[in-house]
Amino acid sequence: MTGPTTGRVSGAERRAALIEKLAGLPPERRAALLRSLGGAAADPGGQEWPLSPGQERLWFLSRFDPADTSYNTPWSVRLRGRLDTAALAAAFTRVTERHEVLRTRFRLRGDAPVQVVLPPAPTPVEELAISGEALREFAERPFDLENEPPLRVGVAWRGEDEVVLCIVLHHIVVDGWSLDVLMRELAECYAATREGREPVLAELPMQYSSYAVQERRRDHTAGVEHWAGRLAGAPALDLPPDHPRPSRWSGRGGREELLLPPEEVTPLERVARKRRCTSFMALVAAYQATLALASGQSDFCVGVPASRRTRSELAPLIGYFGNTLVLRADLSGDPAFHELLDRVRETTLAGMRHADVPFEHILAALRVPRDVGRPPLCQAMFNLHSDLPKDDLLGTRFADLDAEVHTIPPSHTKSEVSLDLWRGPEGLGGVFDYSADLFTPATARRLVRGFAEVVRRAGADPETRLSALSGAFSK
């Protein structure tokens, strides 16, 4: 019997308290705490492997807040034609047989988390209502990574010849590249099932678990030293919030869209080429200028998603190969835009030479204190989508069916502000995601307008100094 008079704490209460403490500890101290948490018995027939460094961080975040769905990765496609649901389920089952990571559970074993690869099993396909709310609820249902698959599939019928296929994966087993692999193999397995043949798929050179083992053995000492020197003392980005900062990060977010026509983007691209820079560098510089003008800071970090698929044998795998490249902004001295662009170029090239260092190792080396109210080190993210394979992801055919991407607007974000851009014939398109706990839609729109104005002014006159760009934020 326990109670206030005994001073005892139940096992469940102790376990919950220790898990919360884990988020604030550096990796070298986590092992000691994890030993006291214990672990479940081994799974009959399951194979256990270590987590990759990136997976481990996502696992800790999931344990810290199991209800957070920021790392759910949904992908939906509208299919027109007669969908064979039995063949679809068989196709998913075949793909999960092929890629062990899709039938993995994440559990605690003694002093460390492990990924447990379970034997192949059928993949169920859930029937969903066609409403946008039903699809959103399906996409944002939390994953129980310990006991459930990190993948779920649903279909919502709009009639006999039209259906929305909704696929949701946890980020711990997938990245953007993986989605293209998944859709390509899924279409082939679906067609093969319908045609009564074996799917034509090359044998995988390895499984994700082998990659995780290799990553745990790699020595990143030199790279960690680079980042520790480059990022030491970097302050947090403090954009003026519209609402008081919550004590705990919820991930609740909003989204605003952006589209700049070619004639407004091309001048900045010409400026970049003249200074031996890429369009990516020029747009990062414009984004840093925007954030500096909005915050009044000249020093902060911007995170850029990066892929760690550095070897050809990793290309056909489904798994989490993501990393974060940290670019420290330097806008000191009221630089002209071309001077800022030169700084971004140097920072980017130096960072790319050490881009394989796991973000988790950088956080550990810097001993970044865990603040449960904000993301660590990088409060702002930036991405220019240009090099990911997407022919199958964005294809207009799925086997014998017509296909069209069906967007489910997100309601969560992983960072306080995030700008995702893509360049096409129509110009520069993008989305600006923001924390709805901190900012109003009006503030988000002001930041989007400010970024667009910086792009235009910097392209027209790269001699323009940062202070002269402040008019971009006039209301």
Side-chain angles (χ1 to χ4, degrees), residues 7 113 118 121 303 345 473:
L118 297 185
R345 180 181 187 274
F473 288 88

Side-chain angles (χ1 to χ4, degrees), residues 27-45:
E28 62 269 19
R29 294 191 57 197
R30 286 177 184 163
L33 266 179
L34 283 167
R35 290 188 186 95
S36 65
L37 290 176
D43 298 270

